[in-house]
Amino acid sequence: MPYPQPLGPEEKLAEAKRLSGLPPIVAICGSTRFMTEMNEADVRETAAGRIVVKPGCDMKSPHELWSDPAEAGALKVRLDDLHRAKIRLADEVLVVGGYIGESTRAEIAYARSLGRPVRFTHPGAEAPAATVES
């Protein structure tokens, strides 16, 4: 008689979220140049009863935390890792903005590799001819 396989981390997380009765979690992705649109998407998703996670730092805007280029590079790596953790935590991803650059494409690919559904505020933005993010 075969024994059931133990749950992996993803299955344990999904089961814990189900048992706790958490509402769906949405990870907002996109270029930080769309922070205003991300904030609006946050309001709309929250009003719809979803928990929202999104980028918390806009490194394109001046701030003392990333004013030193050496420290900014290390921070960017940590923030990218943190955002991938938010995608793992999420039940789905919402891509905000009218185009998709290289970083956002990588986030979409990562979400899909985890089986997360991906929605777009601008459905035509995923086309291969979309402008590359700088």
Side-chain angles (χ1 to χ4, degrees), residues 38-61:
M38 287 183 190
N39 291 335
E40 178 64 21
D42 186 346
V43 169
R44 292 182 181 282
E45 293 295 311
T46 299
R50 297 176 187 96
I51 296 171
V52 177
V53 294
K54 64 183 176 62
C57 298
D58 174 6
M59 293 185 70
K60 290 183 173 104
S61 298

PDB file of all heavy atoms in Angstrom, residues 38-61:
ATOM      1  N   MET A  38      -0.053  51.589  -9.483  1.00  0.00           N
ATOM      2  CA  MET A  38      -0.010  50.473  -8.526  1.00  0.00           C
ATOM      3  C   MET A  38      -0.805  50.822  -7.276  1.00  0.00           C
ATOM      4  O   MET A  38      -1.518  49.969  -6.739  1.00  0.00           O
ATOM      5  CB  MET A  38       1.432  50.141  -8.156  1.00  0.00           C
ATOM      6  CG  MET A  38       2.203  49.446  -9.220  1.00  0.00           C
ATOM      7  SD  MET A  38       3.857  49.042  -8.596  1.00  0.00           S
ATOM      8  CE  MET A  38       4.641  48.509 -10.104  1.00  0.00           C
ATOM      9  N   ASN A  39      -0.677  52.066  -6.809  1.00  0.00           N
ATOM     10  CA  ASN A  39      -1.429  52.485  -5.626  1.00  0.00           C
ATOM     11  C   ASN A  39      -2.932  52.451  -5.903  1.00  0.00           C
ATOM     12  O   ASN A  39      -3.712  52.029  -5.041  1.00  0.00           O
ATOM     13  CB  ASN A  39      -0.979  53.870  -5.167  1.00  0.00           C
ATOM     14  CG  ASN A  39       0.427  53.855  -4.612  1.00  0.00           C
ATOM     15  OD1 ASN A  39       0.921  52.833  -4.137  1.00  0.00           O
ATOM     16  ND2 ASN A  39       1.109  54.986  -4.694  1.00  0.00           N
ATOM     17  N   GLU A  40      -3.345  52.870  -7.088  1.00  0.00           N
ATOM     18  CA  GLU A  40      -4.764  52.809  -7.456  1.00  0.00           C
ATOM     19  C   GLU A  40      -5.233  51.354  -7.537  1.00  0.00           C
ATOM     20  O   GLU A  40      -6.331  51.018  -7.062  1.00  0.00           O
ATOM     21  CB  GLU A  40      -4.995  53.519  -8.795  1.00  0.00           C
ATOM     22  CG  GLU A  40      -6.426  53.464  -9.291  1.00  0.00           C
ATOM     23  CD  GLU A  40      -7.437  54.175  -8.404  1.00  0.00           C
ATOM     24  OE1 GLU A  40      -7.050  55.050  -7.600  1.00  0.00           O
ATOM     25  OE2 GLU A  40      -8.636  53.840  -8.506  1.00  0.00           O
ATOM     26  N   ALA A  41      -4.410  50.480  -8.122  1.00  0.00           N
ATOM     27  CA  ALA A  41      -4.758  49.054  -8.188  1.00  0.00           C
ATOM     28  C   ALA A  41      -4.865  48.469  -6.782  1.00  0.00           C
ATOM     29  O   ALA A  41      -5.750  47.647  -6.512  1.00  0.00           O
ATOM     30  CB  ALA A  41      -3.728  48.291  -9.014  1.00  0.00           C
ATOM     31  N   ASP A  42      -3.997  48.901  -5.879  1.00  0.00           N
ATOM     32  CA  ASP A  42      -4.034  48.456  -4.483  1.00  0.00           C
ATOM     33  C   ASP A  42      -5.387  48.809  -3.868  1.00  0.00           C
ATOM     34  O   ASP A  42      -6.045  47.968  -3.239  1.00  0.00           O
ATOM     35  CB  ASP A  42      -2.884  49.105  -3.713  1.00  0.00           C
ATOM     36  CG  ASP A  42      -2.736  48.617  -2.283  1.00  0.00           C
ATOM     37  OD1 ASP A  42      -3.659  47.969  -1.737  1.00  0.00           O
ATOM     38  OD2 ASP A  42      -1.678  48.893  -1.683  1.00  0.00           O
ATOM     39  N   VAL A  43      -5.831  50.053  -4.055  1.00  0.00           N
ATOM     40  CA  VAL A  43      -7.120  50.487  -3.509  1.00  0.00           C
ATOM     41  C   VAL A  43      -8.253  49.622  -4.062  1.00  0.00           C
ATOM     42  O   VAL A  43      -9.105  49.139  -3.317  1.00  0.00           O
ATOM     43  CB  VAL A  43      -7.360  51.980  -3.831  1.00  0.00           C
ATOM     44  CG1 VAL A  43      -8.798  52.393  -3.520  1.00  0.00           C
ATOM     45  CG2 VAL A  43      -6.373  52.851  -3.061  1.00  0.00           C
ATOM     46  N   ARG A  44      -8.250  49.411  -5.377  1.00  0.00           N
ATOM     47  CA  ARG A  44      -9.340  48.656  -6.008  1.00  0.00           C
ATOM     48  C   ARG A  44      -9.337  47.190  -5.582  1.00  0.00           C
ATOM     49  O   ARG A  44     -10.392  46.607  -5.312  1.00  0.00           O
ATOM     50  CB  ARG A  44      -9.266  48.783  -7.526  1.00  0.00           C
ATOM     51  CG  ARG A  44      -9.585  50.198  -7.996  1.00  0.00           C
ATOM     52  CD  ARG A  44      -9.553  50.339  -9.503  1.00  0.00           C
ATOM     53  NE  ARG A  44      -9.839  51.700  -9.881  1.00  0.00           N
ATOM     54  CZ  ARG A  44     -11.046  52.253  -9.911  1.00  0.00           C
ATOM     55  NH1 ARG A  44     -12.099  51.533  -9.582  1.00  0.00           N
ATOM     56  NH2 ARG A  44     -11.208  53.512 -10.274  1.00  0.00           N
ATOM     57  N   GLU A  45      -8.160  46.587  -5.523  1.00  0.00           N
ATOM     58  CA  GLU A  45      -8.066  45.181  -5.112  1.00  0.00           C
ATOM     59  C   GLU A  45      -8.457  45.018  -3.644  1.00  0.00           C
ATOM     60  O   GLU A  45      -9.142  44.071  -3.275  1.00  0.00           O
ATOM     61  CB  GLU A  45      -6.653  44.648  -5.356  1.00  0.00           C
ATOM     62  CG  GLU A  45      -6.269  44.551  -6.825  1.00  0.00           C
ATOM     63  CD  GLU A  45      -7.107  43.551  -7.590  1.00  0.00           C
ATOM     64  OE1 GLU A  45      -7.274  42.405  -7.118  1.00  0.00           O
ATOM     65  OE2 GLU A  45      -7.599  43.899  -8.685  1.00  0.00           O
ATOM     66  N   THR A  46      -8.029  45.962  -2.804  1.00  0.00           N
ATOM     67  CA  THR A  46      -8.382  45.923  -1.381  1.00  0.00           C
ATOM     68  C   THR A  46      -9.893  46.082  -1.209  1.00  0.00           C
ATOM     69  O   THR A  46     -10.518  45.336  -0.438  1.00  0.00           O
ATOM     70  CB  THR A  46      -7.619  47.016  -0.603  1.00  0.00           C
ATOM     71  OG1 THR A  46      -6.207  46.773  -0.729  1.00  0.00           O
ATOM     72  CG2 THR A  46      -7.989  47.009   0.868  1.00  0.00           C
ATOM     73  N   ALA A  47     -10.486  47.029  -1.941  1.00  0.00           N
ATOM     74  CA  ALA A  47     -11.940  47.232  -1.859  1.00  0.00           C
ATOM     75  C   ALA A  47     -12.696  45.999  -2.334  1.00  0.00           C
ATOM     76  O   ALA A  47     -13.817  45.742  -1.873  1.00  0.00           O
ATOM     77  CB  ALA A  47     -12.349  48.456  -2.680  1.00  0.00           C
ATOM     78  N   ALA A  48     -12.081  45.205  -3.215  1.00  0.00           N
ATOM     79  CA  ALA A  48     -12.704  43.974  -3.706  1.00  0.00           C
ATOM     80  C   ALA A  48     -12.499  42.808  -2.737  1.00  0.00           C
ATOM     81  O   ALA A  48     -12.924  41.691  -3.025  1.00  0.00           O
ATOM     82  CB  ALA A  48     -12.144  43.620  -5.088  1.00  0.00           C
ATOM     83  N   GLY A  49     -11.822  43.064  -1.608  1.00  0.00           N
ATOM     84  CA  GLY A  49     -11.676  42.028  -0.589  1.00  0.00           C
ATOM     85  C   GLY A  49     -10.421  41.192  -0.698  1.00  0.00           C
ATOM     86  O   GLY A  49     -10.365  40.088  -0.156  1.00  0.00           O
ATOM     87  N   ARG A  50      -9.417  41.701  -1.378  1.00  0.00           N
ATOM     88  CA  ARG A  50      -8.165  40.955  -1.532  1.00  0.00           C
ATOM     89  C   ARG A  50      -7.060  41.603  -0.708  1.00  0.00           C
ATOM     90  O   ARG A  50      -7.026  42.817  -0.539  1.00  0.00           O
ATOM     91  CB  ARG A  50      -7.752  40.926  -2.998  1.00  0.00           C
ATOM     92  CG  ARG A  50      -8.750  40.214  -3.892  1.00  0.00           C
ATOM     93  CD  ARG A  50      -8.348  40.288  -5.361  1.00  0.00           C
ATOM     94  NE  ARG A  50      -9.370  39.751  -6.217  1.00  0.00           N
ATOM     95  CZ  ARG A  50     -10.292  40.494  -6.835  1.00  0.00           C
ATOM     96  NH1 ARG A  50     -10.300  41.795  -6.709  1.00  0.00           N
ATOM     97  NH2 ARG A  50     -11.204  39.927  -7.605  1.00  0.00           N
ATOM     98  N   ILE A  51      -6.144  40.783  -0.233  1.00  0.00           N
ATOM     99  CA  ILE A  51      -4.924  41.266   0.414  1.00  0.00           C
ATOM    100  C   ILE A  51      -3.943  41.595  -0.700  1.00  0.00           C
ATOM    101  O   ILE A  51      -3.762  40.802  -1.626  1.00  0.00           O
ATOM    102  CB  ILE A  51      -4.328  40.196   1.350  1.00  0.00           C
ATOM    103  CG1 ILE A  51      -5.296  39.912   2.506  1.00  0.00           C
ATOM    104  CG2 ILE A  51      -2.953  40.636   1.868  1.00  0.00           C
ATOM    105  CD1 ILE A  51      -4.881  38.717   3.349  1.00  0.00           C
ATOM    106  N   VAL A  52      -3.303  42.762  -0.615  1.00  0.00           N
ATOM    107  CA  VAL A  52      -2.405  43.214  -1.675  1.00  0.00           C
ATOM    108  C   VAL A  52      -0.971  43.313  -1.163  1.00  0.00           C
ATOM    109  O   VAL A  52      -0.723  43.855  -0.081  1.00  0.00           O
ATOM    110  CB  VAL A  52      -2.850  44.589  -2.218  1.00  0.00           C
ATOM    111  CG1 VAL A  52      -1.875  45.103  -3.268  1.00  0.00           C
ATOM    112  CG2 VAL A  52      -4.255  44.505  -2.793  1.00  0.00           C
ATOM    113  N   VAL A  53      -0.038  42.773  -1.954  1.00  0.00           N
ATOM    114  CA  VAL A  53       1.393  42.987  -1.732  1.00  0.00           C
ATOM    115  C   VAL A  53       1.949  43.581  -3.018  1.00  0.00           C
ATOM    116  O   VAL A  53       1.531  43.207  -4.114  1.00  0.00           O
ATOM    117  CB  VAL A  53       2.136  41.685  -1.329  1.00  0.00           C
ATOM    118  CG1 VAL A  53       1.673  41.196   0.034  1.00  0.00           C
ATOM    119  CG2 VAL A  53       1.942  40.584  -2.365  1.00  0.00           C
ATOM    120  N   LYS A  54       2.848  44.546  -2.878  1.00  0.00           N
ATOM    121  CA  LYS A  54       3.385  45.233  -4.050  1.00  0.00           C
ATOM    122  C   LYS A  54       4.757  45.786  -3.715  1.00  0.00           C
ATOM    123  O   LYS A  54       5.173  45.755  -2.557  1.00  0.00           O
ATOM    124  CB  LYS A  54       2.443  46.347  -4.508  1.00  0.00           C
ATOM    125  CG  LYS A  54       2.237  47.483  -3.525  1.00  0.00           C
ATOM    126  CD  LYS A  54       1.231  48.471  -4.099  1.00  0.00           C
ATOM    127  CE  LYS A  54       0.878  49.587  -3.165  1.00  0.00           C
ATOM    128  NZ  LYS A  54       1.922  50.460  -2.751  1.00  0.00           N
ATOM    129  N   PRO A  55       5.457  46.305  -4.726  1.00  0.00           N
ATOM    130  CA  PRO A  55       6.752  46.917  -4.434  1.00  0.00           C
ATOM    131  C   PRO A  55       6.583  48.041  -3.418  1.00  0.00           C
ATOM    132  O   PRO A  55       5.647  48.845  -3.506  1.00  0.00           O
ATOM    133  CB  PRO A  55       7.202  47.474  -5.790  1.00  0.00           C
ATOM    134  CG  PRO A  55       6.476  46.650  -6.799  1.00  0.00           C
ATOM    135  CD  PRO A  55       5.143  46.325  -6.159  1.00  0.00           C
ATOM    136  N   GLY A  56       7.473  48.085  -2.456  1.00  0.00           N
ATOM    137  CA  GLY A  56       7.402  49.106  -1.418  1.00  0.00           C
ATOM    138  C   GLY A  56       8.410  50.221  -1.610  1.00  0.00           C
ATOM    139  O   GLY A  56       8.324  51.245  -0.938  1.00  0.00           O
ATOM    140  N   CYS A  57       9.350  50.036  -2.526  1.00  0.00           N
ATOM    141  CA  CYS A  57      10.387  51.033  -2.771  1.00  0.00           C
ATOM    142  C   CYS A  57      10.425  51.365  -4.255  1.00  0.00           C
ATOM    143  O   CYS A  57      10.440  50.473  -5.092  1.00  0.00           O
ATOM    144  CB  CYS A  57      11.768  50.510  -2.358  1.00  0.00           C
ATOM    145  SG  CYS A  57      11.922  50.132  -0.614  1.00  0.00           S
ATOM    146  N   ASP A  58      10.460  52.659  -4.542  1.00  0.00           N
ATOM    147  CA  ASP A  58      10.610  53.130  -5.914  1.00  0.00           C
ATOM    148  C   ASP A  58      12.025  53.678  -6.044  1.00  0.00           C
ATOM    149  O   ASP A  58      12.283  54.832  -5.733  1.00  0.00           O
ATOM    150  CB  ASP A  58       9.573  54.212  -6.212  1.00  0.00           C
ATOM    151  CG  ASP A  58       9.746  54.849  -7.573  1.00  0.00           C
ATOM    152  OD1 ASP A  58      10.612  54.382  -8.355  1.00  0.00           O
ATOM    153  OD2 ASP A  58       9.015  55.810  -7.858  1.00  0.00           O
ATOM    154  N   MET A  59      12.928  52.836  -6.497  1.00  0.00           N
ATOM    155  CA  MET A  59      14.328  53.240  -6.575  1.00  0.00           C
ATOM    156  C   MET A  59      14.596  54.235  -7.705  1.00  0.00           C
ATOM    157  O   MET A  59      15.696  54.740  -7.825  1.00  0.00           O
ATOM    158  CB  MET A  59      15.233  52.012  -6.698  1.00  0.00           C
ATOM    159  CG  MET A  59      15.221  51.172  -5.425  1.00  0.00           C
ATOM    160  SD  MET A  59      16.374  49.807  -5.456  1.00  0.00           S
ATOM    161  CE  MET A  59      17.939  50.675  -5.355  1.00  0.00           C
ATOM    162  N   LYS A  60      13.578  54.529  -8.506  1.00  0.00           N
ATOM    163  CA  LYS A  60      13.728  55.564  -9.537  1.00  0.00           C
ATOM    164  C   LYS A  60      13.532  56.956  -8.948  1.00  0.00           C
ATOM    165  O   LYS A  60      13.868  57.950  -9.572  1.00  0.00           O
ATOM    166  CB  LYS A  60      12.739  55.310 -10.675  1.00  0.00           C
ATOM    167  CG  LYS A  60      13.095  54.087 -11.497  1.00  0.00           C
ATOM    168  CD  LYS A  60      12.129  53.898 -12.656  1.00  0.00           C
ATOM    169  CE  LYS A  60      12.601  52.779 -13.542  1.00  0.00           C
ATOM    170  NZ  LYS A  60      11.856  51.559 -13.370  1.00  0.00           N
ATOM    171  N   SER A  61      12.963  57.025  -7.741  1.00  0.00           N
ATOM    172  CA  SER A  61      12.789  58.294  -7.044  1.00  0.00           C
ATOM    173  C   SER A  61      13.903  58.456  -6.017  1.00  0.00           C
ATOM    174  O   SER A  61      14.292  57.480  -5.368  1.00  0.00           O
ATOM    175  CB  SER A  61      11.436  58.333  -6.325  1.00  0.00           C
ATOM    176  OG  SER A  61      10.384  58.237  -7.256  1.00  0.00           O
TER     177      SER A  61
END
